[in-house]
Amino acid sequence: MNSAGHSEATTHRGLELAPFRGLRYDPDRVGSLAAVTSPPYDVVVRPDGLHHLESADPYNIVRLILPQAATPSARNERAADTLRRWLSEGVLTTDPEPGLYVYEQQDGDGMLQRGIIGALRVSDPAEQVVLPHEDVMPHIVADRAALMRATSANLEPLLLTYRGDGSTTVTADLIERIAERPPLLATTTEDGFRHRLWSVTSPDDLAAIQTDLGRHQALIADGHHRWATYRRLRTEHPSPSPWDHGLVLLVDTARYPLRVRAIHRLLHDLPVGDAVAALEGRFRVRRLEVPLPEALDTLAEAARAGNAFLLAGDGAFHLVDHPDPDLLARTIPADRPEAWRTLDATVLHATLLEHVWRISEDSPAHVAYIHDTTATVEKAERDGGTAVLMHPVREEVVRDLARQGVTMPRKSTSFGPKPATGLVLRALDL
């Protein structure tokens, strides 16, 4: 059993990060470590990205996080069978002793991010130890829960952030000291990011990290659905059990600030012409015959003055801004803070989708979420739908709302860089 499955005291304070025996690819059994990694499951643009990753290496991690079969139960059983086979063949091997893992990402532009991977105690919202900032979709939580049950594994870490301060830099200092050692693994993925991983097994180092993090709370930067899945699965297993913990990457954003980007929408069944026509008298719409980078600059400028969106899909861009104040007053709930009511994601969800376009954001048949801007536009143009391009929210707005206990509309933000999936996994039955 993982050391994270041992009994705990009934009183909890702050983040409790436990060591575990990491499950990692044997580099001698795969083409390359880069070829078996993947972005997080919800960032893979399907089917294009999925097919690309599947063909990169027969052992690519997408065969576990996005298994392909005719039915959901068959997909999950395939993932479980694949994981068992890779374990028996030695493609995946378990590290000899429990530890935490220092993880580093660096891109060609000099961006450096370091954090600590471990098994975090799954806490209830009332404890305010882990702060969500977005709502979740029940069908996605159910899907991830079924996959985790079938594989009995945490296949990819969530990305959580905390804010270190001058008096509690023990973890950050220790991370930087460990990063001077030779790593367990080092690889560069095709997006240009270099990844390095180190294990932390010294009892003194582990104790220092656990004491330091116990003074902090964390914000979910990426992985709301997986955190909700951890919470659901914890309730299904009598405590103490390995399901009391879930795999996370914790990053101190006082030391390593994250990038915050938008998540765009693809409306499958709404042509751009119909989308624009429905906005007449409700929003200002201007057609832009410019390249994508210039259109995004125009969006950023408009967003400084209020709610703004870019629609695409017909070969041009349509800047949507200056909403009718009476329309917003009728469609946006008044019982939330002003910072929530004025979010672009709130206006998109409550006003545009629900009221103007009459589209349910709960249905994956109608709405897709895509992180890559170019891919969103290309898919809209190819499929005849509408791309809705968003402007990112500032991190301080996200954190302030989360501390108030106010969740943002789902898929409001994309924090990054996100951890690569496939560098270290956590098996719950080893």
Side-chain angles (χ1 to χ4, degrees), residues 339-416:
W340 181 89
R341 297 197 309 272
T342 56
L343 288 169
D344 287 341
T346 298
V347 174
L348 173 66
H349 180 86
T351 304
L352 285 170
L353 289 175
E354 290 190 8
H355 183 79
V356 176
W357 293 327
R358 306 287 183 181
I359 293 174
S360 171
E361 202 169 8
D362 292 327
S363 172
H366 296 135
V367 182
Y369 301 89
I370 305 178
H371 294 70
D372 184 271
T373 309
T374 301
T376 311
V377 174
E378 289 176 349
K379 288 179 74 68
E381 291 179 347
R382 185 169 65 242
D383 302 340
T386 294
V388 183
L389 305 183
M390 310 283 287
H391 185 68
V393 184
R394 299 192 317 277
E395 181 182 357
E396 54 266 32
V397 173
V398 176
R399 194 176 294 276
D400 182 56
L401 285 172
R403 284 180 172 148
Q404 295 179 57
V406 178
T407 53
M408 298 167 64
R410 62 193 61 142
K411 299 293 183 182
S412 295
T413 59
S414 175
F415 283 86

Side-chain angles (χ1 to χ4, degrees), residues 20-163:
F20 69 103
R21 294 178 65 202
L23 191 62
R24 297 189 295 111
Y25 281 99
D26 181 344
D28 294 331
R29 297 296 308 274
V30 297
S32 74
L33 288 174
V36 295
T37 64
S38 162
Y41 79 98
D42 59 336
V43 181
V44 177
V45 180
R46 289 170 274 188
D48 310 17
L50 181 63
H51 294 159
H52 172 72
L53 291 164
E54 285 182 329
S55 62
D57 190 282
Y59 299 115
N60 189 282
I61 193 70
V62 292
R63 288 177 169 78
L64 300 183
I65 63 171
L66 292 172
Q68 299 299 293
T71 66
S73 60
R75 289 196 293 269
N76 295 329
E77 189 54 43
R78 172 166 290 182
D81 289 343
T82 300
L83 179 57
R84 284 191 290 266
R85 186 174 73 254
W86 290 357
L87 286 166
S88 67
E89 293 175 355
V91 174
L92 288 169
T93 61
T94 308
D95 283 337
E97 57 183 320
L100 300 175
Y101 295 84
V102 169
Y103 176 48
E104 176 188 275
Q105 294 163 276
Q106 187 170 19
D107 68 7
D109 297 327
M111 168 142 190
L112 177 68
Q113 178 173 291
R114 289 176 178 149
I116 194 90
I117 294 175
L120 184 69
R121 180 182 68 87
V122 179
S123 54
D124 293 319
E127 297 180 62
Q128 291 199 311
V129 173
V130 174
L131 304 175
H133 70 267
E134 290 183 357
D135 295 328
V136 297
M137 290 172 271
H139 72 276
I140 296 180
V141 176
D143 174 74
R144 290 294 102 185
L147 178 63
M148 286 191 206
R149 284 190 207 100
T151 58
S152 191
N154 299 152
L155 300 172
E156 46 187 341
L158 284 63
L159 175 59
L160 306 184
T161 72
Y162 68 100
R163 298 286 294 178

Side-chain angles (χ1 to χ4, degrees), residues 150-198:
T151 58
S152 191
N154 299 152
L155 300 172
E156 46 187 341
L158 284 63
L159 175 59
L160 306 184
T161 72
Y162 68 100
R163 298 286 294 178
D165 55 54
S167 62
T168 56
T169 60
V170 172
T171 300
D173 292 343
L174 192 148
I175 285 172
E176 292 181 6
R177 173 166 54 83
I178 289 172
E180 296 175 357
R181 304 174 185 170
L184 279 178
L185 64 85
T187 189
T188 301
T189 45
E190 65 178 8
D191 58 5
F193 270 90
R194 183 186 71 171
H195 307 263
R196 298 199 295 169
L197 192 75
W198 297 260

Side-chain angles (χ1 to χ4, degrees), residues 296-310:
L296 291 173
D297 289 342
T298 305
L299 173 63
E301 182 178 349
R304 284 196 285 270
N307 300 117
F309 312 89
L310 271 181

